[in-house]
Amino acid sequence: MLGITDLSTYLVGLALIILLPGPNSLYVVSVAARRGPRVAYRAAAGVLCGDTVLMTLSAGGVASLLQTSPVLFAIVKFAGAGYLTWLAVGMLRGAWALWRGRETRKAAGSDGASEAPKEAVERPFRRALVVSLLNPKAILFFISFFVQFVDPAYAHPVLSFLTLGAWAQLFSFTYLSVLIFSGTFLAATFRRRKRLTAGLSAGAGAAFLGFAAKLSLASAS
């Protein structure tokens, strides 16, 4: 069908891959826990848009360019690692502020008024989009994974890539939706336990530092 071979195996592999924790899913659940599902879906939209761009670039041959140009790969790789580090530092600083009770004192003075500027500064859609785009390994993954399920004799391979990409986006949207409402439930459960929230935020920041280190050590092969 549409030049796709062994669709069932592809779907099983896709589900397992999407379930692996990564910076995108971790950021979405973090936004859900802090800001609620409405804002979290903006981050999810950024992830889906970023993945769509990467899939399109993969089908267009950018993956081959990254593999043959170590300098270009290094530039994108370290830019992505730097951005993840910057996000991690922001999470750790927020965790420290919560631990020291600064957020509580600010809320007492301004009540809900501080929420608007916070949203304007964070811009979840843009952050999630940038995290997705600054990941050269994702481009390489998409083309190396998709190509295994495309019939080389099929006359229109672009349709095969589009279909495989559509399945990937459907699985990703479903998984992110589960994470968003799980994060919202956790936020409602631990809303008054500021130090626990700080600990979770610090853990997320540490995980982002790990992602940055892993990306900086990645190779194109």
Side-chain angles (χ1 to χ4, degrees):
M1 182 181 67
L2 296 176
I4 299 174
T5 62
D6 202 357
L7 179 61
S8 59
T9 300
Y10 168 76
L11 294 179
V12 171
L14 183 65
L16 293 175
I17 291 165
I18 289 178
L19 288 174
L20 292 174
N24 288 333
S25 58
L26 185 59
Y27 179 65
V28 170
V29 75
S30 172
V31 173
R34 292 181 289 109
R35 310 288 302 279
R38 184 174 180 179
V39 179
Y41 269 111
R42 298 180 196 173
V47 172
L48 296 176
C49 287
D51 285 348
T52 299
V53 172
L54 294 183
M55 292 177 193
T56 304
L57 293 175
S58 299
V62 173
S64 299
L65 178 61
L66 289 176
Q67 286 179 314
T68 57
S69 176
V71 174
L72 179 60
F73 183 86
I75 290 173
V76 179
K77 176 180 72 172
F78 287 115
Y83 189 73
L84 288 177
T85 301
W86 181 73
L87 289 179
V89 170
M91 289 180 177
L92 292 172
R93 290 179 61 186
W96 178 249
L98 278 174
W99 188 265
R100 297 294 301 272
R102 294 174 186 173
E103 293 296 325
T104 303
R105 290 195 295 269
K106 289 180 182 179
S110 57
D111 212 20
S114 62
E115 196 65 26
K118 181 180 179 182
E119 179 176 351
V121 171
E122 184 168 1
R123 295 172 185 166
F125 175 86
R126 188 175 71 176
R127 284 196 176 187
L129 178 65
V130 173
V131 169
S132 294
L133 294 178
L134 291 179
N135 186 2
K137 296 293 285 188
I139 302 177
L140 301 178
F141 162 76
F142 282 130
I143 195 168
S144 62
F145 184 63
F146 283 5
V147 75
Q148 299 176 52
F149 302 94
V150 175
D151 184 356
Y154 187 64
H156 306 288
V158 173
L159 291 179
S160 304
F161 274 92
L162 288 175
T163 304
L164 293 173
W167 275 109
Q169 293 292 60
L170 177 61
F171 274 45
S172 182
F173 176 79
T174 302
Y175 177 57
L176 290 176
S177 295
V178 172
L179 291 181
I180 286 171
F181 287 102
S182 297
T184 305
F185 172 76
L186 291 175
T189 302
F190 301 113
R191 191 178 305 276
R192 296 183 180 180
R193 303 176 65 176
K194 298 296 183 181
R195 293 198 172 185
L196 176 60
T197 304
L200 294 174
S201 182
F208 266 66
L209 286 177
F211 291 134
K214 181 179 180 181
L215 180 57
S216 66
L217 296 174
S219 63
S221 57

